Amino acid sequence: MKLLHLSINGINLFRDGLELDFIARQRVTDNNSENLTHLFSSIYKQDILGIIGINASGKTTALRWISLILDIYLREGKVNDKDHRVLLQNQTITAEAYFSDGINLYKIQSLIKPAEDGEPIFDEERLWIKKQTKTLSRIKLLEFTDHHLDTVRSKEELSFLSDYMSIMISLKKKHGTNPIVVDQLQDTNINLMRVIGDVPTEVIQFLDDNIEYVSYDGNSEGKIHIQLKFKNKEDIIYIYDPLQLPIYLSSGTIKGLNVFAGIENVMASGGFLIVDELENHFNEAIVRMIIQMFKHKDINVMGATLIFTTHYAALLDEFDRNDTIYISFKEETLHLKNMYDLLDRNDFKKSDVYQSSYLGKTAPSYEAYMGLKNYFLQLGKNIRNKMESK
């Protein structure tokens, strides 16, 4: 199941709504098709979608909404789950998403609102289905009519279904499985090893060549523990509290173990890997390696999708296409705009354009910069005066 497009309206922080295209909008050529998967006809799917913005511009918030949509539609997630409930915060939300399974195209529209007890529920839902044909153009791709309407949520016909779950669950019953969604938002600031089983030697050697092996398993008493062995050391280290792992491994190595395990999982199903602040704890080479894995046709054979945020403007130059990149910024309210809509040329160096603030408020203002600089200049002056007065 490939996500083609999603939109969410009613979000307090994004008053103009949140809209993301996962299909290529920009013209596809031999020179810019590296991070695309061909679906059918002239329709291509983005295999990488990056969101960049300064602090407090809405990057992580946008990522959380994407994660919510994927969870409730593809993972049988419940809108009253703790993280979703915090995100929804008594808002009335209209969500709309479009999917392809290679045979049919699907449109799902959901109205999510707080019940009398404050818990978010699915109040209304509609599901449309139409055949995917080779002659279907991108313009007609997301057009559905009443003739395509398949299911309307009603308490009478769907009495078996929880108010907290989407009618998309019916598609999973037909298809058996959905693509895996690996959400690593929780690892942005809390770096815990979440890999179960043996870590491939190639992964651990890439991250830290002083380690012989790492495994995360259960012992005979059913307790989870980590086994760690360094090269040229006879003793095996047993760790029963994951919080103690940073004593032995760097934060970058721990994050790498999680990210590369996530990559392995989503590659097998053509799923989704969601990473907040991709560059956090990583050096530049590791970040570029991760991006290249999703771009490589002989590795990403199922068309898995990497969705990430970053502060690192130089990463933009990894992409030949503008429509792969979304820019978050704040002007009265939060906005998320596709670079393709903001920049009509593709021959500029993307990092330079972004850092110039040509596309909007994508860098701290000059006044803020000078204010901060003057603050610390005054601080230095005060310190010098104190030293001289002694």
Side-chain angles (χ1 to χ4, degrees), residues 16 68-69 147 211 220 305 317 373:
D16 296 333
L68 181 147
I69 292 296
H147 174 71
I211 301 173
S220 58
T305 306
D317 299 326
K373 181 179 178 181

Side-chain angles (χ1 to χ4, degrees), residues 29 58 77 81 83 88 96 131 141 144 159 220 246 261 268 341 351 362 384 386 389:
T29 68
D81 286 347
D83 289 343
L88 288 163
E96 192 170 275
K131 285 292 183 183
L141 182 67
F144 287 77
S159 57
S220 58
D341 293 324
S351 58
T362 57
R384 183 178 291 106
K386 286 182 180 180
S389 65

Side-chain angles (χ1 to χ4, degrees), residues 3-109:
L3 176 60
L4 306 178
H5 182 90
L6 72 84
S7 63
I8 313 169
N9 289 290
I11 306 172
N12 292 335
L13 291 174
F14 289 89
R15 283 182 293 193
D16 296 333
L18 195 60
E19 187 169 3
L20 295 103
D21 253 316
F22 286 79
I23 52 177
R25 299 174 57 206
Q26 189 176 336
R27 182 169 172 267
V28 179
T29 68
D30 291 339
N31 295 325
N32 67 11
S33 62
E34 195 175 24
N35 55 285
L36 301 176
T37 291
H38 182 234
L39 297 182
F40 63 96
S41 183
S42 60
I43 310 301
Y44 291 78
K45 180 195 73 71
Q46 303 278 6
D47 293 337
I48 305 173
L49 193 151
I51 303 173
I52 186 168
I54 61 175
N55 290 335
S57 63
K59 299 186 304 299
T60 301
T61 303
L63 210 59
R64 292 189 185 282
W65 283 106
I66 297 170
S67 177
L68 181 147
I69 292 296
L70 292 174
D71 188 48
I72 62 176
Y73 288 154
L74 296 183
R75 294 200 300 185
E76 298 184 20
K78 298 180 179 179
V79 288
N80 69 332
D81 286 347
K82 180 181 177 181
D83 289 343
H84 299 339
R85 197 167 61 242
V86 170
L87 189 64
L88 288 163
Q89 291 182 343
N90 293 316
Q91 300 171 97
T92 297
I93 300 297
T94 301
E96 192 170 275
Y98 299 79
F99 297 91
S100 166
D101 65 3
I103 300 173
N104 293 314
L105 297 168
Y106 304 89
K107 172 184 175 181
I108 176 75
Q109 189 179 77

Side-chain angles (χ1 to χ4, degrees), residues 19 49 70 73 161 229 273 291 298 306 332 334 350:
E19 187 169 3
L49 193 151
L70 292 174
Y73 288 154
L161 186 63
K229 187 176 185 304
L273 176 64
I291 290 173
D298 291 330
L306 170 66
E332 296 184 3
L334 297 180
K350 294 177 178 59

Side-chain angles (χ1 to χ4, degrees), residues 1-3 34-39 44-48 100-102 177-180 262-273 293-306:
M1 191 76 76
K2 304 300 184 186
L3 176 60
E34 195 175 24
N35 55 285
L36 301 176
T37 291
H38 182 234
L39 297 182
Y44 291 78
K45 180 195 73 71
Q46 303 278 6
D47 293 337
I48 305 173
S100 166
D101 65 3
T177 58
N178 272 328
I180 291 174
I263 291 173
E264 186 171 348
N265 285 330
V266 302
M267 289 294 184
S269 69
F272 300 84
L273 176 64
M293 292 176 75
F294 280 86
K295 293 169 76 171
H296 202 299
K297 300 303 180 188
D298 291 330
I299 296 176
N300 192 8
V301 295
M302 297 292 289
T305 306
L306 170 66

